[in-house]
């Protein structure tokens, strides 16, 4: 019998308010799941819906932005959509923890790292006093920080960018989560620091059997650290599958275009090929396949019929070129 997923997102819709009109979807029926210890990359250009998807999971959407009817987000079997504010506070930093892009903004500048760790340890594990201090020092050591006593007593501004992100990861681990959602966790860091933070996330995922949802615009980051990848375009998953299939032999023209557009330092085609046009804004999505105005392989039906996400298990693509119903469109 296969174990139930630790994180299960079904038909997630996120709607943006529009002045004087009805709200428009910016995330439109996104589904994916994560097993224990599995690492899934969520990729796509800016505006694809990656960050809104991740903010929706623990109920962190800004005021006015709503989760649509019929959406479901389950963490360890517990439904979060519609859960009380009190329950969501217990889950955030508990079974589901977040690491954000900019550690300088994520940390409280007025508190030492130790105080911020102790706060989470009290909130989620009822640790205080020496037990909290010892566990905080152990967590700082676990995320690869040296001089843990100094880091423990330092406010964030005394630490480098890489040290701050490690401190954020330690705080995220303090509640002993089952799922870690990391939204562009290396984008604000130097290249050498990026690689070390990625190695750390992979190590922690393996040692703790922690499920990792890694959001990134950088396919190389996902290729290095994830088992599976889901590609988002204009609010929908257009391709999903094992990293070594999707990033080696992409089936969706958008995934292929993302791969061709990434910067490379070697090989015969070192010059990246930019994707023509731009991501359509929510409320201005074209009919049919939303990628069709930019797609070099568009067929006449692509302008009118949205291709279903089809395939075997979690290896799926939404494109008429690969649709089982292709003959019908
Ligand atoms: Fe291109 Fe058509 Fe496939 Fe969309 S459905 S990606 S337009 S070929």
């Amino acid at each position: 019998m296969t174990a139930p997923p630790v994180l299960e997102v079904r038909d997630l819709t996120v709607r943006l308010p529009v002045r004087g009109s009805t709200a428009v979807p910016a995330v439109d029926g996104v589904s994916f799941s994560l097993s224990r210890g599995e690492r899934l990359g969520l990729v796509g250009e800016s505006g694809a819906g990656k960050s809104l998807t991740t903010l929706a999971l623990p109920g962190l959407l800004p005021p006015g932005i709503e989760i649509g009817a019929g959406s479901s987000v389950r963490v360890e079997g517990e439904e979060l959509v519609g859960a009380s504010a009190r329950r969501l506070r217990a889950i955030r930093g508990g079974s589901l923890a977040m690491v954000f892009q900019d550690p300088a903004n994520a940390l409280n500048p007025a508190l030492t790292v130790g105080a911020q760790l102790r706060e989470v340890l009290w909130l989620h594990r009822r640790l205080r006093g020496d037990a909290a201090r010892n566990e905080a020092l152990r967590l700082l050591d676990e995320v690869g920080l040296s001089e843990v006593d100094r880091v423990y007593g330092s406010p964030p501004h005394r630490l480098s960018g890489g040290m701050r992100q490690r401190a954020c990861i330690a705080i995220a681990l303090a509640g002993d989560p089952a799922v870690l959602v990391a939204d562009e966790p290396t984008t604000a860091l130097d290249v050498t620091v990026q690689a070390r933070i990625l190695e750390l996330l992979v190590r922690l995922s393996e040692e703790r059997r922690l499920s990792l949802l890694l959001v990134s615009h950088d396919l190389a980051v996902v290729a290095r650290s994830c088992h599976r990848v889901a590609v988002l375009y204009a609010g929908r998953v257009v391709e999903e599958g094992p990293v070594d299939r999707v990033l080696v032999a992409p089936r969706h023209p958008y995934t292929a275009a993302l791969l061709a557009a990434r910067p490379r330092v070697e090989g015969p085609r070192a010059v990246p090929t930019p994707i023509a046009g731009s991501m359509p804004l929510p409320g201005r999505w074209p009919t049919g396949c939303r990628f069709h105005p930019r797609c070099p392989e568009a067929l006449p039906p692509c302008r009118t019929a949205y291709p279903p996400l089809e395939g075997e298990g979690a290896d799926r693509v939404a494109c008429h070129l690969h649709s089982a119903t292709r003959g019908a469109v």
Side-chain angles (χ1 to χ4, degrees), residues 42-44 216-225 229-231 243 246-247 254-262:
L42 202 56
V43 302
S216 181
H217 66 282
D218 187 340
L219 294 175
V221 163
V222 169
R224 287 218 307 260
S225 43
V229 58
V231 182
V243 159
V246 174
L247 301 187
Y254 177 58
T255 314
L258 279 179
L259 283 164
R262 76 196 197 282

Side-chain angles (χ1 to χ4, degrees), residues 96-149:
L96 187 149
M98 307 274 296
V99 174
F100 294 98
Q101 178 175 338
D102 188 351
N105 284 338
L107 292 165
N108 184 335
L111 294 177
T112 63
V113 169
Q116 294 179 64
L117 271 163
R118 284 200 314 271
E119 196 176 321
V120 180
L121 288 167
W122 171 244
L123 208 60
H124 294 285
R125 292 167 58 191
R126 288 294 183 249
L127 294 180
R128 65 201 315 180
D130 284 350
R133 179 187 163 82
N134 291 340
E135 178 62 0
L137 293 173
R138 193 197 65 73
L139 285 163
L140 292 173
D141 181 63
E142 184 180 357
V143 298
L145 285 160
S146 52
E147 299 183 74
V148 290
D149 284 297

Side-chain angles (χ1 to χ4, degrees), residues 86-319:
R86 187 174 173 193
R87 192 65 204 126
L88 284 174
R89 272 198 303 277
I91 287 162
R92 283 197 292 267
S95 48
L96 187 149
M98 307 274 296
V99 174
F100 294 98
Q101 178 175 338
D102 188 351
N105 284 338
L107 292 165
N108 184 335
L111 294 177
T112 63
V113 169
Q116 294 179 64
L117 271 163
R118 284 200 314 271
E119 196 176 321
V120 180
L121 288 167
W122 171 244
L123 208 60
H124 294 285
R125 292 167 58 191
R126 288 294 183 249
L127 294 180
R128 65 201 315 180
D130 284 350
R133 179 187 163 82
N134 291 340
E135 178 62 0
L137 293 173
R138 193 197 65 73
L139 285 163
L140 292 173
D141 181 63
E142 184 180 357
V143 298
L145 285 160
S146 52
E147 299 183 74
V148 290
D149 284 297
R150 181 176 77 76
V151 174
Y152 180 90
S154 296
H157 70 266
R158 297 240 179 95
L159 306 176
S160 69
M163 291 168 83
R164 281 198 288 259
Q165 193 59 300
R166 284 178 195 269
C168 285
I169 294 169
I171 292 168
L173 296 179
D176 202 13
V179 181
L180 182 64
V181 179
D183 189 355
E184 303 274 7
T186 59
T187 305
L189 304 173
D190 293 344
V191 177
T192 49
V193 181
Q194 283 182 10
R196 286 190 214 121
I197 294 292
L198 278 183
E199 280 167 21
L200 170 65
L201 289 171
V202 170
R203 174 171 66 77
L204 292 170
S205 157
E206 286 173 353
E207 288 175 357
R208 289 174 164 251
R209 295 201 68 221
L210 181 65
S211 306
L212 179 68
L213 178 64
L214 180 66
V215 181
S216 181
H217 66 282
D218 187 340
L219 294 175
V221 163
V222 169
R224 287 218 307 260
S225 43
C226 294
H227 301 112
R228 287 193 298 118
V229 58
V231 182
L232 230 57
Y233 187 82
R236 283 193 175 171
V237 174
V238 295
E239 185 161 14
E240 181 189 1
V243 159
D244 52 9
R245 200 282 295 157
V246 174
L247 301 187
V248 174
R251 293 191 191 133
H252 199 285
Y254 177 58
T255 314
L258 279 179
L259 283 164
R262 76 196 197 282
R264 279 156 289 174
V265 291
E266 55 190 27
R269 296 182 61 221
V271 180
T273 310
I275 310 176
S278 55
M279 175 81 65
L281 295 170
R284 298 195 184 164
W285 289 334
T287 55
C289 171
R290 291 170 190 164
F291 187 57
H292 86 253
R294 307 171 76 187
C295 180
E297 300 185 56
L299 306 163
C302 301
R303 296 178 215 290
T304 51
Y306 194 91
L309 188 61
E310 293 176 320
E312 289 184 17
D315 195 346
R316 303 181 294 166
V317 62
C319 173

